[in-house]
């Protein structure tokens, strides 16, 4: 057991001769799993410091609200490195339904938040693109009486609309391209890719 690394980094060596249909659909790796792990550890340290007294006078408790489905892997990796008392609330929003590769407007599909009145909330999303999702969810949480609402996005696209919407924590700035992996999907596929990647055009057409 002592030789098992703390974080298992997944490698799909094509040299082993396995048939790797998903890996064959990748055009470029934009952010590798190693880069993700390093940056997520930094974000976790910063979030922990910002939510520890005296910065938050009334205690070391937060409610983390991942925006499903895309944020589930990022959130799982992030919160296991935040040693605070954490509750979880869930919100499901759809912006890129089905085989869309551009935003079709953000729609609240469901929520399982519990009582967030008076609590410090940290929204977690996979990517800030048009900003529609944060503009929908942040006011909704404020109306529920949260003591504070902050937001953390793993990725922010380099486009003017994304810069107009505030996010308290940003993992990486990426070019304005459609990406998948590490929770992000195309037509509900590719969420299980360990890196953030772009897809080959033929993969987009095949999965449409
Ligand atoms: P926004 O509401 O800021 O336009 O976009 C946020 C949501 O749109 C994200 O949570 C994500 O679900 C989806 N989205 C935006 N850009 C991309 C992308 O490049 N790839 C994927 N898979 N989803 C995206
Ligand atoms: Mg989303």
């Amino acid at each position: 057991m002592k030789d098992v690394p703390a974080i298992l980094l997944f490698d799909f060596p094509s040299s082993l001769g396995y048939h790797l249909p998903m890996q064959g659909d990748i055009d470029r790796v934009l952010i590798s799993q190693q880069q993700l792990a390093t940056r997520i550890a930094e974000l976790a340290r910063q979030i922990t410091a910002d939510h520890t007294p005296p910065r938050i006078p009334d205690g070391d408790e937060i409610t983390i609200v991942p925006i499903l489905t895309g944020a589930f892997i990022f959130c799982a990796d992030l919160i296991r490195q935040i040693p605070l008392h954490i509750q979880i609330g869930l919100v499901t929003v759809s912006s890129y339904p089905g085989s869309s590769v551009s935003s079709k407007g953000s729609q609240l599909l469901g929520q399982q938040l519990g009582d967030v009145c008076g609590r410090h909330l940290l929204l977690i999303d996979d990517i800030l693109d048009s900003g529609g999702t944060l503009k929908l969810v942040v006011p909704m949480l404020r109306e529920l009486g949260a003591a504070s609402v902050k937001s953390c996005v793993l990725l922010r696209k380099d486009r003017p609309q994304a810069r107009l919407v505030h996010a308290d924590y940003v993992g990486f700035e990426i070019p304005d391209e459609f990406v998948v992996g590490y929770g992000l999907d195309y037509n509900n596929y590719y969420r299980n890719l360990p890196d953030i990647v772009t897809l080959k055009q033929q993969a987009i057409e095949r999965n449409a």
Side-chain angles (χ1 to χ4, degrees):
M1 279 301 277
K2 67 178 175 13
D3 292 334
V4 176
I7 297 175
L8 289 167
L9 296 176
F10 298 100
D11 186 16
F12 299 96
S14 48
S15 58
L16 290 180
Y18 295 131
H19 180 53
L20 298 170
M22 208 174 41
Q23 274 61 33
D25 291 347
I26 295 172
D27 179 28
R28 274 163 38 240
V29 174
L30 253 56
I31 306 171
S32 70
Q33 54 194 307
Q34 289 85 356
Q35 291 171 305
L36 288 165
T38 303
R39 181 68 184 128
I40 288 165
E42 286 170 7
L43 287 172
R45 274 196 294 276
Q46 196 184 341
I47 290 166
T48 304
D50 290 350
H51 292 83
T52 304
R55 294 206 197 162
I56 285 198
D58 49 340
D60 50 3
E61 278 224 10
I62 48 176
T63 299
I64 301 269
V65 182
I67 301 182
L68 301 177
T69 306
F72 78 116
I73 294 181
F74 172 41
C75 183
D77 283 348
L78 183 73
I79 62 173
R80 285 178 294 168
Q81 299 185 60
I82 301 178
L84 303 174
H85 288 108
I86 287 178
Q87 290 189 344
I88 301 288
L90 303 175
V91 168
T92 303
V93 174
S94 170
S95 324
Y96 277 47
S99 57
S100 321
V101 291
S102 63
S103 180
K104 299 289 175 263
S106 302
Q107 202 191 345
L108 183 68
L109 297 185
Q111 63 179 70
Q112 199 179 313
L113 283 166
D115 185 5
V116 294
C117 189
R119 294 190 59 86
H120 295 287
L121 308 187
L122 179 63
L123 264 179
I124 309 282
D125 206 2
D126 48 5
I127 185 163
L128 175 52
D129 177 17
S130 72
T133 303
L134 290 185
K135 280 196 270 186
L136 174 77
V137 179
V138 171
M140 183 192 94
L141 296 176
R142 293 221 166 96
E143 273 166 34
L144 292 174
S148 67
V149 182
K150 286 188 179 175
S151 54
C152 172
V153 293
L154 178 63
L155 311 172
R156 180 169 61 192
K157 280 197 189 168
D158 183 12
R159 58 181 292 205
Q161 293 97 318
R163 279 189 293 273
L164 290 175
V165 177
H166 175 74
D168 296 277
Y169 307 95
V170 178
F172 298 87
E173 197 85 44
I174 62 162
D176 188 5
E177 290 182 69
F178 183 74
V179 294
V180 298
Y182 200 69
L184 290 118
D185 74 306
Y186 175 59
N187 211 2
N188 214 13
Y189 293 111
Y190 303 108
R191 295 193 194 275
N192 52 322
L193 278 172
D195 311 298
I196 302 283
V197 308
T198 58
L199 289 175
K200 289 178 183 159
Q201 189 56 34
Q202 67 251 38
I204 291 182
E205 284 160 18
R206 180 164 24 86
N207 289 299

